[in-house]
Amino acid sequence: MLRIYALAVITSFYGSVAWAESHAATEAEQTEAAEPEVMAKDIDLDAAKSIFSRSCRGCHGNKAQGVASYPKLSDKTPEYIVEKLETYRAGERIGPNSVLMIQNAKGLSDLEIASLAVYVTTAFE
């Protein structure tokens, strides 16, 4: 089940990146397009658990169940988590807690975002 989520997150994320790059690239650049660097085998759930414990748990709860004005995450899809974290990492404000989320997301790599998305949606079942 975890592998399915991981593959879905990675495929969704890098599929949209590849589509955008291919439409912006010239024909010569399109033939040299690189393969996605993050694969399902790269997902690091131990690192994601550490990031969650350090940065997410205080607001979203011990099991990502949501607390007060901080939403429940455990019922979201990995694609949703990836989309939101990328939006916050880009510095875009999309809600009342954006300032906090931007600070927490700005240093995350693509692999960390993918790993967190899989961890948060599978660890608390």
Side-chain angles (χ1 to χ4, degrees):
M1 184 76 155
L2 175 62
R3 288 193 98 115
I4 293 170
Y5 279 124
L7 288 172
V9 169
I10 293 166
T11 303
S12 175
F13 174 73
Y14 284 103
S16 62
V17 169
W19 180 87
E21 287 177 354
S22 70
H23 282 77
T26 65
E27 189 171 315
E29 291 171 330
Q30 287 178 4
T31 60
E32 298 175 9
E35 291 294 316
E37 291 182 29
V38 177
M39 304 300 279
K41 65 180 176 57
D42 296 329
I43 296 295
D44 187 346
L45 294 180
D46 290 331
K49 181 179 181 179
S50 176
I51 293 168
F52 178 84
S53 295
R54 183 180 65 245
S55 301
C56 311
R57 182 177 60 187
C59 296
H60 292 283
N62 290 333
K63 294 187 176 185
Q65 76 274 15
V67 178
S69 68
Y70 303 99
K72 181 176 185 177
L73 301 175
S74 58
D75 65 343
K76 307 295 189 269
T77 64
E79 295 83 7
Y80 175 88
I81 303 292
V82 167
E83 177 188 344
K84 295 302 181 194
L85 286 173
E86 288 176 339
T87 300
Y88 288 126
R89 181 175 65 181
E92 187 176 330
R93 293 176 182 232
I94 56 174
N97 298 319
S98 291
V99 172
L100 294 170
M101 286 302 303
I102 290 168
Q103 291 301 312
N104 283 299
K106 71 180 179 182
L108 295 175
S109 69
D110 291 342
L111 176 58
E112 289 170 328
I113 287 175
S115 297
L116 268 172
V118 172
Y119 176 76
V120 167
T121 58
T122 61
F124 310 112
E125 296 179 41

